[in-house]
Amino acid sequence: MDDFFITRDLGLSATLLALGYKLIRPERRENIVYFTFSKKEECEEVSRKFELRSEPILVDAAEYFDAIQRLKRQIFKLTESLGVPKKYSYK
């Protein structure tokens, strides 16, 4: 798994998607969803900028919004497949 970047941060994951990085898969471990992306080194650089707020990361607002919605759907699918009651599911 050395070639992959893994994060549980929804905002960072949406930023990566909006920048065009490929989401390999979402994965649920216990109660946390992790997102796996290709291009580890490039994603790590974006992650550093994101976490440190050292310089702006410019993304299209509509693409960022779409990425958030896509990730939420992925989380919902994972939650639903585990039989979590809908009233407790993340929508």
Side-chain angles (χ1 to χ4, degrees), residues 10-73:
L10 184 67
L12 174 58
S13 295
T15 300
L16 290 170
L17 282 175
L19 289 172
Y21 292 95
K22 183 179 178 187
L23 175 64
I24 303 299
R25 71 178 164 278
E27 180 181 6
R28 184 176 170 148
R29 298 182 211 153
E30 298 184 19
N31 289 328
I32 300 171
V33 175
Y34 294 88
F35 300 100
T36 302
F37 290 86
S38 59
K39 299 185 179 180
K40 180 180 179 179
E41 289 182 13
E42 292 177 32
C43 289
E44 286 176 342
E45 181 62 29
V46 174
S47 177
R48 277 191 286 280
K49 291 177 185 176
F50 186 86
E51 291 174 12
L52 296 175
R53 310 290 197 258
S54 60
E55 58 186 88
I57 301 173
L58 303 177
V59 297
D60 180 86
E63 287 185 29
Y64 182 79
F65 177 80
D66 289 344
I68 289 282
Q69 295 305 311
R70 178 179 170 196
L71 293 169
K72 285 182 179 181
R73 282 192 301 275

Side-chain angles (χ1 to χ4, degrees), residues 73-87:
R73 282 192 301 275
Q74 296 283 341
I75 293 168
F76 180 73
K77 284 180 188 178
L78 288 172
T79 303
E80 191 175 56
S81 69
L82 294 172
V84 176
K86 289 191 181 218
K87 70 177 186 177

